[in-house]
Amino acid sequence: MKKLVLFPLSIVAFLAACDTESTSSVDPFAGSPKGDLRYERHFEKNQISFKCNVYATNSDVTVDMTVNVLDEQQPALRYRVNGNYNTAVYSGAIESSGLYNKGAGFFCENAKEDCESMNNVSVNCSDNKVVFSANIPNVDPTYSEIYVSRVLPSMNSVCDEMFELYLNDPLIIRSGDATKKAQTCDVQVAGSTVTMVITYPDKSMHLTATLVNGVYSVREEYTGVDAATLAQVCTAYQNEDGLTNVTCSGNVFTYTPLIVPEFSAFVEFQRDVECPAFLDGSMTFEDLWFDED
């Protein structure tokens, strides 16, 4: 469950760093991006697909990113930002659904803080969508084409960084290590509770996640893990922005994640993505605890 939180949050936190924006009632996701495709990074691997495109005209630059997981009908995560140097407007949005349900709302305050020094800032937030906009200061429309040529490399870099962050995740790389394989990984469902049990020859994890009134309550219990490591895990969980109500009691950890995935998508994610990664040695407890690659 914690890995699910860490996976998207590091991505969106980077994307939410807005430079400038404008007030506009138009949905940033309405219609197609303006201009010609100038740059693209994409992959499809292990039931996760990523696409990031950069479009441009003589006056506009748009970054358009989507992440799909488990063949869901809607993208699990969408991001689009546009800079128009004729109108001095910069606008964009983050939207989440399915496995990353309520993931966008987590970044509402981040977007407000990042944009507060801009002109005419507007940031509208819900659990699953953040729309931000403002005016770009000190822009002379006469030089729009020059602005576009200057900003294109940095927009390409956004796609590069997002591509690398996703592709280098253990759940996607799946470079199985025979020395790290779990012996068993079992997922069971009872009502609104999902239980995942992972065993190794010398240790195990028993995780339960229960969805009640739109909130998950998660409990992790370990055997075979030494006290010093458990203390490090506790500290890591307490410092994780995506978790609240973290408690540590010996080998037991409980917490509430801020992302609330749709229950069926979460179960499918555990069965079809996480368990296979543990069983082939691509993912370990250390990856889960400390977000290590």
Side-chain angles (χ1 to χ4, degrees):
M1 186 71 173
K2 182 172 181 291
K3 186 61 184 177
L4 176 63
V5 173
L6 283 172
F7 185 47
L9 294 199
S10 59
I11 304 299
V12 183
F14 179 87
L15 293 176
C18 99
D19 293 321
T20 44
E21 326 265 308
S22 112
T23 37
S24 172
S25 59
V26 177
D27 185 340
F29 292 123
S32 301
K34 298 178 182 178
D36 299 323
L37 179 63
R38 300 292 187 90
Y39 194 71
E40 178 182 7
R41 299 298 303 271
H42 71 275
F43 69 77
E44 294 184 15
K45 193 171 183 179
N46 297 321
Q47 301 194 66
I48 298 172
S49 65
F50 168 92
K51 179 175 285 188
C52 186
N53 295 339
V54 179
Y55 300 87
T57 68
N58 289 336
S59 59
D60 282 84
V61 178
T62 301
V63 177
D64 188 70
M65 188 196 81
T66 59
V67 179
N68 286 81
V69 184
L70 303 170
D71 299 320
E72 293 177 325
Q73 291 185 342
Q74 288 184 308
L77 188 66
R78 300 180 68 194
Y79 168 77
R80 181 179 290 178
V81 64
N82 173 260
N84 184 313
Y85 294 100
N86 272 340
T87 59
V89 167
Y90 188 96
S91 58
I94 300 166
E95 188 173 53
S96 61
S97 64
L99 190 66
Y100 296 163
N101 186 41
K102 296 190 178 180
F106 179 77
F107 298 96
C108 181
E109 292 305 315
N110 296 53
K112 291 178 180 178
E113 292 173 5
D114 291 336
C115 296
E116 65 183 0
S117 64
M118 309 306 157
N119 300 327
N120 300 321
V121 174
S122 173
V123 181
N124 298 301
C125 306
S126 66
D127 284 343
N128 288 319
K129 194 167 187 176
V130 176
V131 179
F132 49 90
S133 62
N135 289 120
I136 307 173
N138 305 316
V139 169
D140 184 343
T142 305
Y143 301 105
S144 292
E145 193 167 353
I146 295 175
Y147 296 141
V148 169
S149 66
R150 287 178 177 175
V151 79
L152 269 174
S154 62
M155 296 300 97
N156 296 346
S157 294
V158 169
C159 284
D160 289 339
E161 293 202 32
M162 297 305 98
F163 177 89
E164 295 299 329
L165 281 169
Y166 270 102
L167 192 60
N168 288 331
D169 191 280
L171 292 175
I172 297 175
I173 296 176
R174 294 288 297 279
S175 54
D177 185 337
T179 66
K180 298 179 179 179
K181 289 182 178 181
Q183 286 184 321
T184 65
C185 184
D186 182 60
V187 176
Q188 298 293 330
V189 178
S192 59
T193 297
V194 57
T195 301
M196 181 167 68
V197 180
I198 303 170
T199 64
Y200 291 86
D202 59 344
K203 59 188 175 184
S204 67
M205 178 187 77
H206 189 283
L207 180 151
T208 60
T210 301
L211 182 62
V212 178
N213 296 325
V215 177
Y216 279 96
S217 176
V218 182
R219 182 182 188 274
E220 297 177 9
E221 181 175 356
Y222 294 90
T223 63
V225 180
D226 62 87
T229 300
L230 291 171
Q232 292 176 338
V233 174
C234 180
T235 299
Y237 280 25
Q238 289 173 336
N239 292 332
E240 171 56 49
D241 289 340
L243 306 180
T244 62
N245 304 319
V246 175
T247 64
C248 311
S249 178
N251 63 334
V252 176
F253 305 92
T254 62
Y255 56 84
T256 301
L258 294 181
I259 287 182
V260 184
E262 293 177 1
F263 189 75
S264 60
F266 179 46
V267 172
E268 187 179 358
F269 178 76
Q270 287 192 316
R271 284 177 172 166
D272 296 345
V273 179
E274 285 195 310
C275 268
F278 277 108
L279 290 171
D280 71 11
S282 297
M283 188 172 173
T284 66
F285 286 167
E286 286 72 22
D287 295 317
L288 186 75
W289 297 332
F290 310 120
D291 197 32
E292 296 179 353
D293 293 343

